[in-house]
Amino acid sequence: MLLKKTVYLAEISNMLQYLRKNFSFLIYLCIAAAVVGRFWLLGASFENDEIFSAITSDPLHTWGYLWHRYLMIDVHPPLSNFILYLWNHLIPYGNEIWMRLPSLFFALLALFLTWKLFPVRLGKKARLLLTGCLACHTFSIGYAQSLRAYALMLCLSVPLTFLFLDMAQFVRKNKKISSQKWTAFWALSLLLCWIHYFGALVFGTFSTVLFCLAVYYKRPLWTFILVPFSVFVLFCLG
């Protein structure tokens, strides 16, 4: 019995050593498999929500007709539908694969931005692990090619998240947040609000946390109020 336990522990130790030595290779392999999985799902038939997206982006109708007939009574903001509507003027309308290409592009762009924008100070392995987790997440794969706003929302959420973390560090260290960062935060937040209500939730959460940090560290508050307020007003008008 003792010999069996010793052999079992030795096998576990060898496995852990193998994983440690080949960590990067295995993560790269998982990312590659996840990317292939995204392409594999391109030919799937439309689901109910996707059919709605296809109908509300029909290039044979005017945008005004689609807006008044369908989108005004929808529960989600219409920016992703408008992008798809423009795309459908360039492709054979109705083909599942062609219509899903923008979502696939945004899903892959989200992975690239995760890798590109990840803070260097946290190390290469942490960057690789985060990219791998995002790439291999079940919902990230399943909805990457979906004819809905999810991939575009993820693509914009990635740079906004890293920007938010950077701005939070600036507040904590009493550094001035540049006008370029505030402009980027404003633009990304507004686009997210116009794409999906979950995007508005992300914007609201980040804005609230930044405001609370500014109050806690006794920073000037006018920018932390004015920028989110302007986004909120434009979101309501849209």
Side-chain angles (χ1 to χ4, degrees), residues 171 209-221 224:
V171 174
V209 172
L210 287 175
F211 177 79
C212 292
L213 286 173
V215 171
Y216 180 81
Y217 289 104
K218 299 179 180 180
R219 308 292 183 244
L221 297 179
F224 295 89

Side-chain angles (χ1 to χ4, degrees), residues 36-67:
V36 171
R38 285 162 167 79
F39 281 93
W40 186 265
L41 293 173
L42 270 177
S45 299
F46 285 155
E47 297 180 347
N48 291 338
D49 289 346
E50 292 179 291
I51 293 174
F52 179 81
S53 295
I55 293 174
T56 56
S57 59
D58 188 345
L60 297 178
H61 296 295
T62 65
W63 177 250
Y65 171 83
L66 295 173
W67 170 260

Side-chain angles (χ1 to χ4, degrees), residues 78-188:
L79 182 57
S80 62
N81 292 81
F82 183 68
I83 294 174
L84 186 60
Y85 175 73
L86 296 178
W87 172 251
N88 284 339
H89 282 79
L90 305 176
I91 64 165
Y93 174 69
N95 182 284
E96 288 92 342
I97 293 179
W98 280 97
M99 292 182 70
R100 282 173 167 161
L101 286 181
S103 290
L104 179 62
F105 169 77
F106 290 127
L108 296 178
L109 182 58
L111 297 181
F112 172 77
L113 291 175
T114 301
W115 178 269
K116 188 70 175 178
L117 300 178
F118 189 85
V120 178
R121 67 180 184 275
L122 298 181
K124 295 181 179 179
K125 285 190 176 181
R127 177 176 66 175
L128 180 60
L129 184 60
L130 178 62
T131 306
C133 288
L134 182 61
C136 298
H137 192 279
T138 303
F139 289 107
S140 178
I141 297 174
Y143 289 102
Q145 40 66 50
S146 177
L147 197 66
R148 297 295 284 169
Y150 308 126
L152 178 57
M153 183 173 59
L154 176 63
C155 183
L156 293 175
S157 297
V158 168
L160 183 63
T161 300
F162 286 125
L163 180 61
F164 157 73
L165 294 174
D166 195 30
M167 294 169 69
Q169 281 287 88
F170 272 51
V171 174
R172 188 178 67 84
K173 294 181 179 180
N174 196 20
K175 294 182 179 180
K176 182 180 178 181
I177 300 176
S178 66
S179 58
Q180 290 84 355
K181 289 184 182 296
W182 275 117
T183 301
F185 182 85
W186 178 88
L188 289 170

